[in-house]
Every structure is written in structure tokens, then in C-alpha cells.
Amino acid sequence: MSTLVTVQPYNQIFDGQKHYRTLLQCTARPGTIGQLDDALLNLPSQLNRATALLALALFSGDIKYYLNQDDAQAATFIHSETAAKPASAEQADFLILTDGNRLEGLQQAKPGTLSFPDQGATIILQVAAISPAPLADSLRLTLRSEE
């Protein structure tokens, strides 16, 4: 008996909740790599699947976002699927950054405070791949606790 896995169209309720729970688990356990299930999406070229799934799970009409590349198709996709509004990097709740110009976007992000960290921007950095093992010609991040 073979088990075939079919990719289903994105379901805003069930897939959104599943991806949100995955994100919460990764946030609660820094360094954890979460797997976002496949969902059938017609994506613009400037958005990778993980970024699109995060936007679908987190964005709403109250959210302002910034894309560091000027791509009308990606902005149209995000707005039409989530009702989120584009904004400048300084005003955005979420910054979607690609490999190029990462630091520029980070420097423009609105900071939170110790009392109100939720007022700071959340950064979504699009990368080609992520792995617990080192990849050739890649950025290596090390998480550590400052005590």
C-alpha cells in the first residue's frame, strides 16, 4: 500500500492555525526550526513559500508591512490575501527582508522597549534555505544566553 501526499489548496482557518502554532513553538524555543506544511499557493516570484505562509498566518487589516524590494506583485498578493497595508520601514509592524540589504532594513525598524516589546517591528528574513548543519557559502548564526 502506498501513501500519497497531495498538496491541498491553502485553508485560511486550518492551515493558518497550524502554521501559527508552529511559529509559537519556534518562538518559545529559540533555535528550533519549524516545518510549515505544503499548501497550494500561487506566489509571486519575490515571496518564498515560508514568508507567504507566515504572512497569511500573522497579517490582518490592522497590520502595516514593509518589503525591502520594490515588487508590486508581492505587495498585491499580501494585500489581497491578508488586507495588510504597505508602509515605510519606520512605520511597519513587519519588515520582509531578502538577502540583499538586510542591515539597512534592520536599522530602519521601529524598536520596542523593555516595557512594551510588542511595539517593535518583527523581521521576516527570506532566505534560500535553513539548516541545523552548516551549509557551504552561508551565514552561520549562533544562539547563546547572556547571563
Side-chain angles (χ1 to χ4, degrees):
M1 177 195 313
S2 70
T3 56
L4 297 176
V5 177
T6 58
V7 179
Q8 299 292 321
Y10 182 81
N11 181 299
Q12 290 181 336
I13 304 294
F14 298 115
D15 289 329
Q17 289 175 355
K18 184 173 20 174
H19 298 142
Y20 184 72
R21 283 191 303 271
T22 300
L23 180 62
L24 285 179
Q25 287 297 317
C26 292
T27 304
R29 295 172 178 82
T32 300
I33 298 173
Q35 180 65 40
L36 299 174
D37 295 340
D38 283 335
L40 188 58
L41 293 171
N42 187 15
L43 297 175
S45 62
Q46 295 298 325
L47 283 182
N48 67 28
R49 187 179 64 83
T51 300
L53 292 173
L54 288 176
L56 291 170
L58 297 174
F59 292 12
S60 68
D62 298 331
I63 296 295
K64 293 180 275 183
Y65 69 93
Y66 168 77
L67 287 167
N68 77 329
Q69 72 270 358
D70 210 13
D71 184 28
Q73 289 180 331
T76 299
F77 174 84
I78 292 172
H79 180 70
S80 67
E81 296 295 326
T82 68
K85 296 163 188 64
S88 67
E90 296 84 5
Q91 298 295 315
D93 301 305
F94 288 87
L95 280 75
I96 299 172
L97 307 176
T98 55
D99 286 331
N101 275 344
R102 283 181 250 176
L103 296 179
E104 179 182 320
L106 289 175
Q107 293 168 344
Q108 295 174 14
K110 64 180 178 179
T113 64
L114 190 55
S115 301
F116 299 99
D118 57 310
Q119 293 179 353
T122 299
I123 309 299
I124 299 173
L125 179 60
Q126 294 194 109
V127 295
I130 189 166
S131 170
L135 299 172
D137 297 325
S138 64
L139 174 67
R140 182 182 173 126
L141 299 175
T142 303
L143 299 177
R144 65 178 182 195
S145 174
E146 294 287 329
E147 293 183 29

